[in-house]
Amino acid sequence: MSEPLLAHPASSYDNKRLSFICNHPLYVSFYQRLEELEKDRVFCRHQMNHLLDVARIAYILDLKMNLGIGQDLIYTAALLHDIGKCRQYEEGIPHEIAGAGIAGQILEDMPADLTFTADEKEQIITAIKGHRRLKEDPEPLEYLLYHGDKLSRPCFSCPSEQKCNWDNQKKNKELRL
């Protein structure tokens, strides 16, 4: 009997990379702290549902635009892009800057058999730094992460949308494909 066409869309190598990241002590501690800080937040939260939505949307955009970035880089950037959010809440450090530092440490700690190349690490860090404000000529992964992040927000169905201080130009007021 043959396997379904997309039974295993990511290699076990890619899954090991993502598992390493999500189980890294820095990731776990910052993620748990952020979860605690946002437990009563009525607006968009920055937990796994959001991170995976960003990854999936960015990957769809990658496929539609035929950029060839690849799932492992996209998912890694998406899982790490908001990891500095608690430092923004507690210390006033912009989360894209704090997150780039935390992500850099996690990426450096990866075992040799899972590590990204220096160029891939740079792409991931650049994407994290650029996910809040899109510069004029963004790198491809930076572009995907920015748009995946913004398109992941269902403002059109949010009960707190009227109270949200997010710029109206950025809000997703309608479902878009």
Side-chain angles (χ1 to χ4, degrees), residues 17-89:
R17 280 177 160 174
L18 298 178
S19 180
F20 176 86
I21 290 165
C22 289
N23 290 301
H24 189 284
L26 274 179
Y27 190 88
V28 171
S29 67
F30 279 104
Y31 184 90
Q32 288 174 344
R33 183 71 187 128
L34 180 57
E35 199 168 50
E36 176 64 26
L37 289 168
E38 290 189 338
K39 73 177 184 227
D40 297 323
R41 185 178 164 102
V42 295
F43 304 109
C44 299
R45 294 179 69 211
H46 302 89
Q47 268 55 76
M48 197 55 68
N49 286 344
H50 168 64
L51 304 177
L52 291 175
D53 285 347
V54 171
R56 291 173 182 137
I57 291 168
Y59 185 58
I60 290 167
L61 292 172
D62 179 55
L63 294 173
K64 286 176 88 170
M65 298 172 72
N66 200 25
L67 295 175
I69 301 297
Q71 237 178 344
D72 58 338
L73 288 181
I74 292 168
Y75 272 69
T76 297
L79 287 173
L80 291 167
H81 84 278
D82 281 336
I83 201 63
K85 199 77 166 153
C86 61
R87 294 199 61 204
Q88 181 171 317
Y89 293 148

Side-chain angles (χ1 to χ4, degrees), residues 96 125-135 142 146:
E96 68 275 20
I125 299 302
T126 298
I128 292 168
K129 286 180 181 175
H131 85 272
R132 287 184 73 192
R133 289 170 200 85
L134 195 62
K135 64 185 182 190
E142 183 180 14
Y146 172 86

Side-chain angles (χ1 to χ4, degrees), residues 4-22:
L5 183 59
L6 293 176
H8 304 285
S11 72
S12 70
Y13 180 72
D14 296 336
N15 291 335
K16 286 178 184 175
R17 280 177 160 174
L18 298 178
S19 180
F20 176 86
I21 290 165
C22 289

